[in-house]
Amino acid sequence: MRSKTSSDALPTPSSHGTLRRAAYAGLAVAALAMIFPSQASAELRVCNKTSSRVGIAIGYKDDKAWKTEGWWNLPASSCETLLAGPLSSRYYYVYAIDYDRGGEWSGRSYMCTEEKTFTINGVEDCIRRGKERTGFFEIDTGEQRAWTVQLTEPGRASLGSASATPQ
């Protein structure tokens, strides 16, 4: 017959108080998580649902002015968070290019881009400022805190399509 070790011992009355305090602390943390949801769920996310590598640029209005940023390089069948935290604007703009087969996801909202990694303040006079003038498509988030854009390819002959869904 083996002797009891401390791990085999039953809780003593003093350890019940410690367990009870730990349980209350756990409940308090869970309650706070419900009252103040995690910021990790608030974001602008893009999913590349194609079989190609895709480059992505975004445009949005921050507190001061219009801004464009790029490039995020997404492998085939992957997603990436481009802006973390609650979305502060209703409208965001996306431009994407298929690196492997050519083609793009574009629109009629013109903003400035560059060939290499960039952050550009302002959307006016792109060419005069030595930037490229690129057409972005508009995403209306309806003022949601989080949004996901899906880049898809309905067929190899077309340039594909983009859809956006709230989270």
Side-chain angles (χ1 to χ4, degrees), residues 69-102:
E69 297 182 54
W71 293 97
W72 284 268
N73 297 307
L74 271 68
S77 303
S78 67
C79 296
E80 186 163 337
T81 298
L82 305 188
L83 295 173
L87 299 180
S88 59
S89 296
R90 178 175 177 172
Y91 297 99
Y92 288 84
Y93 298 83
V94 176
Y95 172 80
I97 187 165
D98 184 323
Y99 289 138
D100 297 330
R101 292 194 312 250

Side-chain angles (χ1 to χ4, degrees), residues 99-134:
Y99 289 138
D100 297 330
R101 292 194 312 250
E104 62 186 10
W105 294 262
S106 61
R108 295 185 181 143
S109 297
Y110 290 93
M111 300 185 176
C112 305
T113 61
E114 292 182 351
E115 284 190 30
K116 297 188 178 187
T117 302
F118 66 90
T119 298
I120 301 171
N121 292 315
V123 296
E124 63 287 326
D125 301 322
C126 298
I127 304 298
R128 188 177 60 76
R129 295 191 297 157
K131 315 294 183 201
E132 295 179 31
R133 185 174 180 257
T134 306

Side-chain angles (χ1 to χ4, degrees), residues 39-63:
Q39 295 301 319
S41 65
E43 60 193 10
L44 177 64
R45 188 170 173 80
V46 174
C47 292
N48 174 11
K49 299 293 186 179
T50 74
S51 58
S52 298
R53 293 172 304 130
V54 172
I56 299 169
I58 60 170
Y60 58 94
K61 191 168 187 178
D62 67 10
D63 294 338

